[in-house]
Amino acid sequence: MTRHIVIDCDPGTDDAVALWLALASPELAVEAITVAGGNVGLERTLTNARAIASLAGGAVPVHAGAGRPLLGRFTSAETVHGPDGLNGVKLPPGRPPAPGLAADAIRARLRTSTDPLTLVGIGPATNLALALATEPALAARIAEIVLMTGAWGEGNVTPAAEFNAWSDPEALAMVLACGRPITLVTLELTAQALVTPSRIAALRGRSDSACLHAACDILAAAPPPARLPGLPLHDPCAIAWLLRPDLFSGRDCAVRVEAGDGEGRGRTHIDRWQLSGRPANAHILERLDADGFFDLLGQRLAALP
Ligand code: BDR
Ligand code: CA
């Protein structure tokens, strides 16, 4: 069965790999790619998303979305992804953006798609929240939402918060409250998907695909991470979950995100041990078969143009 998905992203190095993994996978029909400012400003994330999609062939529409969070100020992650968002790796320019803004495009797809849609959010949740806020009844047309966001422990942008959750916690709170099945890929899960020089070498050897080699160049150019023995490949885990759920294990939990201006802004409170008495509203992925994940990634990317 083909799963129809929309990917909301902010490319971004790991977003690029996630997009190529999705576009390479026959189990997924990528209906649209919607883009927010996040890792770098919207102008760059949109340029990058168009280039990434075009390099993979096909004609998936790419829509521009929110350039800033619902509340608060925009802050990029250029120290991780470089000023251009792809660690300086140049891609051929992509096709022009599709008409219509991200939230409108998501609503239009939900309204008209013959099958319920899966929404995959791998950037700040602003576009998804705007789509749901203006026509909440369309939530019934969502099969599932998969988000790379949050952490049950330490953050990666503040001691309390993961970057996507911190970038727009108000939007994330709206998405978490939408009542549809939600799966979260957190920092604890992605810390098991570590890119190392030997994994990059193994990927490169798979084929002479331009997408595969661009992915390897982007990953090889990443600054060495401060707190882990490799680069966490966050966003592709969200796609891999849809392709090979057998590579993951997890549990249902009550999840809430802290908004407001304090030190805890963007912290996700994930009740793994049912201490809060609140009902579960998300499935939390906890364990990953990393070798299986990298094997899947290599196999799929090698088949792209
Ligand atoms: C998340 O933040 C971004 O920097 C990555 O693309 C990923 O979506 C990890 O915290
Ligand atoms: Ca991202």
Side-chain angles (χ1 to χ4, degrees):
M1 200 193 73
T2 308
R3 187 192 281 268
H4 294 258
I5 73 171
V6 171
I7 306 177
D8 187 60
C9 59
D10 63 333
T13 53
D14 57 327
D15 300 74
V17 181
L19 289 170
W20 281 323
L21 177 59
L23 293 168
S25 294
E27 303 91 330
L28 303 177
V30 183
E31 302 266 335
I33 294 168
T34 55
V35 185
N39 288 317
V40 283
L42 176 64
E43 200 185 321
R44 282 303 321 178
T45 55
L46 183 62
T47 302
N48 292 344
R50 294 192 291 109
I52 293 159
S54 294
L55 197 63
V60 177
V62 179
H63 299 269
R68 45 154 293 183
L70 297 180
L71 299 174
R73 66 189 171 87
F74 173 78
T75 308
S76 66
E78 291 180 16
T79 48
V80 180
H81 300 262
D84 64 357
L86 296 178
N87 284 335
V89 173
K90 302 275 176 263
L91 302 179
R95 286 181 298 278
L101 288 175
D104 299 328
I106 294 168
R107 279 197 308 278
R109 295 273 161 189
L110 286 169
R111 223 178 280 122
T112 57
S113 170
T114 46
D115 298 288
L117 277 185
T118 294
L119 304 179
V120 183
I122 55 175
T126 323
N127 291 333
L128 298 176
L130 287 171
L132 291 170
T134 44
E135 205 171 337
L138 285 177
R141 304 276 308 140
I142 298 171
E144 181 181 348
I145 301 175
V146 184
L147 301 174
M148 191 285 124
T149 199
W152 65 74
E154 288 178 319
N156 62 352
V157 64
T158 73
E162 178 279 333
F163 179 76
N164 288 339
W166 176 81
S167 293
D168 198 340
E170 285 79 12
L172 178 57
M174 289 163 69
V175 176
L176 287 172
C178 81
R180 301 307 297 158
I182 294 178
T183 299
L184 288 197
V185 171
T186 68
L187 291 180
E188 289 80 5
L189 189 280
T190 65
Q192 298 163 56
L194 296 183
V195 180
T196 57
S198 65
R199 279 189 166 136
I200 295 177
L203 280 175
R204 267 193 209 284
R206 289 249 185 187
S207 82
D208 55 9
S209 153
C211 294
L212 175 75
H213 283 265
C216 289
D217 292 345
I218 289 167
L219 297 176
R227 55 185 194 118
L228 290 167
L231 181 75
L233 212 41
H234 306 285
D235 296 340
C237 292
I239 304 295
W241 161 248
L242 296 175
L243 300 172
R244 288 282 308 276
D246 59 300
L247 297 176
F248 298 80
S249 63
R251 67 179 93 182
D252 294 342
C253 299
V255 180
R256 176 177 90 66
V257 60
E258 221 171 300
D261 286 335
E263 274 187 333
R265 180 170 179 79
R267 181 197 288 275
T268 46
H269 295 270
I270 299 180
D271 184 9
R272 293 171 65 231
W273 303 105
Q274 299 171 334
L275 303 173
S276 67
R278 286 181 282 120
N281 59 342
H283 185 66
I284 306 299
L285 300 182
E286 295 181 323
R287 301 290 313 162
L288 170 70
D289 170 351
D291 289 337
F293 167 79
F294 279 98
D295 192 45
L296 172 73
L297 188 66
Q299 186 201 329
R300 296 300 168 92
L301 264 55
L304 282 171

